[in-house]
Amino acid sequence: MSDADLKQALTAYLQTGRDVMLWKLDGLSEYDVRRPLTATGTNLLGLVKHLAGVESGYFGFVVGRPFPEPMPWMDRPEPNADMWATADESRADVVDLYRRVWAHADETVAAVPLDRRGEVPWWPEERRHPTLHTLLVHVVAETHRHAGHADIVRETIDGSAGFRRSNANLPSTEGDWWGAYRDRLERIARRFGGLTPEA
């Protein structure tokens, strides 16, 4: 496979993940996109903001093509500053930033050879100088990992689930199939957890 083909394949998977992340915000209130829905505060808009920071770093200064806008939260000593939107950051601000970052990332991928090495100061010394190819694989994996988080958070908010508008990637069912399915799994889990007597 040529470098051009590899770049095309990896960026296609990356774009799919990006699109999923933004789709998970569609139709939700300002409250719902910011709601912390896990013990560690996971929220939809924060995941998008985090990924904007991820791409701006890995496809920016790491490979010598810094993203031209500041990421103010990067300079704050507060833990998890990139995982939530402040009162001064609107949904539109975060989404627009993500789009600008990914445009810059796509330009980087187009301009930089796959075997070009960068420097990731926060990675262990033995892995600190990855190629652009490795960075692409890493960011595709991270984006899809967070798309999975977003899927669970969105389902928790309003029951919406699935991979994309055109293909939910879920069984096509009618009626109360999901309720019965979930109840069946709960019964089995309770049995194996010793919570109900053996049938």
Side-chain angles (χ1 to χ4, degrees):
M1 183 179 276
S2 71
D3 281 6
D5 289 340
L6 276 172
K7 284 184 177 185
Q8 183 177 19
L10 288 166
T11 54
Y13 276 102
L14 178 55
Q15 189 60 51
T16 297
R18 293 163 169 166
D19 291 341
V20 168
M21 291 303 302
L22 295 188
W23 173 43
K24 294 300 175 181
L25 303 177
D26 282 359
L28 293 180
S29 69
E30 290 298 322
Y31 169 64
D32 282 334
V33 298
R34 295 169 182 268
R35 283 173 70 185
L37 286 165
T38 70
T40 55
T42 304
N43 64 93
L44 292 171
L45 199 56
L47 290 170
V48 173
K49 179 178 173 178
H50 171 70
L51 286 172
V54 166
E55 287 203 38
S56 73
Y58 286 121
F59 300 130
F61 74 87
V62 164
V63 290
R65 296 189 81 249
F67 182 67
E69 299 177 40
M71 300 284 179
W73 64 87
M74 299 284 196
D75 297 324
R76 294 205 315 256
E78 178 185 354
N80 265 17
D82 64 330
M83 296 297 290
W84 58 283
T86 68
D88 296 329
E89 295 168 330
S90 71
R91 178 197 324 221
D93 291 337
V94 174
V95 168
D96 290 347
L97 173 64
Y98 190 34
R99 290 182 186 279
R100 291 192 305 276
V101 165
W102 89 41
H104 179 265
D106 289 347
E107 290 169 6
T108 294
V109 171
V112 174
L114 282 176
D115 60 358
R116 164 92 62 84
R117 292 194 177 272
E119 181 175 4
V120 185
W122 56 91
W123 283 12
E125 181 60 42
E126 66 275 10
R127 298 192 304 115
R128 190 162 293 170
H129 298 281
T131 62
L132 176 64
H133 182 232
T134 298
L135 293 170
L136 266 166
V137 171
H138 178 83
V139 174
V140 168
E142 181 156 357
T143 301
H144 282 269
R145 174 174 175 259
H146 290 310
H149 295 151
D151 200 26
I152 299 289
V153 170
R154 179 64 190 255
E155 186 174 354
T156 301
I157 292 169
D158 67 358
S160 296
F163 185 59
R164 60 173 74 129
R165 284 183 192 89
S166 61
N167 177 9
N169 204 28
L170 294 168
S172 178
T173 61
E174 295 181 9
D176 193 35
W177 187 90
W178 283 111
Y181 171 74
R182 189 189 175 285
D183 290 346
R184 187 173 83 183
L185 300 186
E186 178 67 22
R187 284 193 305 274
I188 293 169
R190 291 179 69 80
R191 190 180 109 200
F192 279 89
L195 301 174
T196 58
E198 290 286 335

